Amino acid sequence: MPKPDSGRTSTEGHIPAADPALVTSVGPAPAVPADAATTAADSVPVEAARRVGFLVTLVLGGLTALPPLSMDMYLPALPAVTESFGSPAATVQLTLTACLAGMALGQLVVGPMSDRWGRRRPLLIGMIVYVAATAICALAPTAELLIGFRLLQGLAGAAGIVIARAVVRDLYDGVEMARFFSTLMLISGVAPIIAPLIGGQVLRITDWRGIFVVLTAVGIVLTLVVAKWLHETLPREKRHSGGVGEALRTMRGLLSDRVFTGYTLTGGLAFAALFAYIAASPFVVQEIYGASPQTFSLLFGVNSIGLIAVGQINGKVLVGRVSLDKALGFGLGVITLAATALLLMTAGVFGKVGLLPVAAGLFVLMSAMGLAMPNTNALALMRTPHAAGSASALIGTSAFLIGAVASPLVGIAGEATAVPMAVVQLTCALAAMGCFIGLCRPWQRRAEAV
């Protein structure tokens, strides 16, 4: 059963649920005045949200799946958008960049808002704005307006990402939180697999604007589901009543916690290695190794299934039997080894290799993300029961920003080699391992807990 928040030690994760130094630097969350406006949903106790665990899982899974749907359903339509507006391809590519930037920056805004006003209100506002922005994208008359409303779409869609993680932290603790993150990976991990397929099928019956019509419909359904079934999970006595100044002080306090920052950077750098794969794999698989688009889609799907499968092994088998730090360390080690093998193969150390060995290396690297991503989220959020929204915002924003910086570097050497992809992946993996060892220092905290 889920465990309510408390200051006890989480022995399975070998870290305290809340670092006393961090609580001092951030300060306790002031109570919201008793006469503040309330809604019927706000009065629902946290225990009620736990009792509908399956529905909560589906709702949170849908919220975390919406951003990849927004990004990946649109990918097959890029050539059509370019032709429709008569704009340069580089300009149309900014529609992707704008959405990604919005998702990164929006989390910094929505996270502190959810710590102040609760989870439901900012989430519902974000979903309503997402639906409106997506509908306007379908009607955009110029590429410039499409870029602007894709930015707004990303800003609003960030509410689902950041609040989903915060709700998990409100409802679960310790190993149960790690298990739930692994379950979310099962749901959200399917989205990147099916999104391009859905986008391609939509383009068979309509033009690129139809993709935004479908996303608008998905947003409406998800908004209605959130309104009906996702209860408020942050009690009033745990909310922050301050404004922007307090939000900034809270984030500064979180970042002053060496261990929280270590897990945040570790997860962000691992995510950057994943971003490098997403950015480079279509070019590497199809242009360098001569595979067909169908073969690329098959390999992409197989790699995504590997990530989901290992995530489920992490949640169903390892969590509770192996400490989260050990599982995370093992995952980072496998990612580093796979990236090293990819660099050796693409650099020609083993002579000319075909697609199969490279695809195997990518599969191992992607699958090991199923150990890295849920465990870094859980270990970071274990330390922040007093500011889960702000903590979730920092985790998500760092991942998107580091990934956005890393992904363009994969094409720095042109179209003749896959070495840059492997270099970026190995660099990110080594940096993630360095942050884990140098900042998180799990052996030190394990000794302190004994």
Side-chain angles (χ1 to χ4, degrees):
M1 291 295 293
K3 306 177 182 65
D5 288 336
S6 68
R8 69 185 181 281
T9 300
S10 175
T11 55
E12 294 89 348
H14 301 296
I15 65 174
D19 187 1
L22 178 58
V23 175
T24 301
S25 63
V26 174
V32 173
D35 60 351
T38 62
T39 64
D42 287 339
S43 63
V44 177
V46 171
E47 287 75 11
R50 292 196 185 103
R51 284 196 295 269
V52 288
F54 179 70
L55 287 175
V56 170
T57 302
L58 291 180
V59 173
L60 297 183
L63 291 173
T64 55
L66 189 59
L69 281 175
S70 301
M71 292 290 292
D72 296 342
M73 274 185 65
Y74 178 67
L75 292 177
L78 284 177
V81 176
T82 302
E83 182 179 354
S84 174
F85 289 135
S87 302
T91 300
V92 176
Q93 286 285 351
L94 289 176
T95 61
L96 290 176
T97 304
C99 188
L100 183 62
M103 289 178 187
L105 299 176
Q107 295 184 63
L108 289 177
V109 177
V110 177
M113 286 173 58
S114 73
D115 283 336
R116 182 180 183 185
W117 295 321
R119 311 305 184 201
R120 271 177 59 88
R121 193 183 311 175
L123 177 57
L124 287 172
I125 292 173
M127 291 303 301
I128 291 170
V129 174
Y130 172 89
V131 169
T134 306
I136 296 174
C137 284
L139 303 173
T142 66
E144 289 73 21
L145 281 176
L146 181 60
I147 291 170
F149 282 103
R150 283 284 279 176
L151 175 64
L152 182 60
Q153 183 192 40
L155 287 167
I161 308 172
V162 67
I163 292 179
R165 277 194 301 263
V167 168
V168 174
R169 183 61 189 94
D170 293 338
L171 296 179
Y172 297 91
D173 195 13
V175 297
E176 290 296 333
M177 181 165 52
R179 288 195 179 103
F180 199 93
F181 276 125
S182 294
T183 302
L184 283 187
M185 182 171 289
L186 172 63
I187 300 172
S188 61
V190 173
I193 302 175
I194 65 173
L197 300 177
I198 296 174
Q201 293 305 309
V202 170
L203 290 175
R204 291 173 66 91
I205 59 176
T206 184
D207 63 7
W208 63 268
R209 298 180 188 273
I211 292 176
F212 289 107
V213 173
V214 173
L215 286 172
T216 300
V218 171
I220 291 173
V221 171
L222 195 53
T223 302
L224 295 175
V225 170
V226 167
K228 182 173 178 60
W229 280 303
L230 187 62
H231 301 302
E232 180 57 63
T233 60
L234 184 65
R236 290 192 167 276
E237 63 272 13
K238 292 187 177 182
R239 298 181 192 178
H240 295 221
S241 61
V244 176
E246 182 181 342
L248 293 175
R249 286 193 297 273
T250 299
M251 289 189 173
R252 185 172 65 247
L254 292 169
L255 292 173
S256 69
D257 176 22
R258 169 180 53 79
V259 179
F260 170 80
T261 301
Y263 285 123
T264 299
L265 290 176
T266 299
L269 288 162
F271 193 62
L274 175 63
F275 253 58
Y277 160 77
I278 293 173
S281 59
F283 165 73
V284 170
V285 173
Q286 296 181 73
E287 299 297 326
I288 295 180
Y289 290 98
S292 66
Q294 292 73 25
T295 300
F296 165 72
S297 299
L298 176 62
L299 292 176
F300 192 91
V302 169
N303 289 342
S304 299
I305 291 171
L307 186 152
I308 295 170
V310 173
Q312 294 312 292
I313 293 172
N314 177 72
K316 306 297 185 184
V317 179
L318 299 181
V319 171
R321 295 179 176 87
V322 179
S323 77
L324 303 185
D325 280 310
K326 287 182 179 178
L328 171 58
F330 181 78
L332 293 174
V334 172
I335 292 171
T336 303
L337 289 175
T340 302
L342 284 168
L343 179 57
L344 294 175
M345 285 188 288
T346 56
V349 174
F350 303 126
K352 186 175 177 60
V353 297
L355 176 60
L356 187 59
V358 173
L362 290 172
F363 175 79
V364 172
L365 185 145
M366 279 285 289
S367 298
M369 294 290 175
L371 293 176
M373 294 168 65
N375 289 327
T376 51
N377 284 340
L379 287 163
L381 288 171
M382 277 181 187
R383 304 183 66 84
T384 61
H386 56 293
S390 297
S392 177
L394 290 172
I395 293 169
T397 299
S398 65
F400 275 93
L401 290 181
I402 297 173
V405 170
S407 57
L409 299 178
V410 299
I412 198 169
E415 302 181 358
T417 176
V419 169
M421 178 193 72
V423 169
V424 170
Q425 289 175 329
L426 181 57
T427 301
C428 291
L430 290 172
M433 185 69 78
C435 289
F436 178 61
I437 295 173
L439 296 176
C440 303
R441 303 175 191 172
W443 66 89
Q444 185 178 72
R445 288 178 289 107
R446 191 179 302 118
E448 293 171 353
V450 175

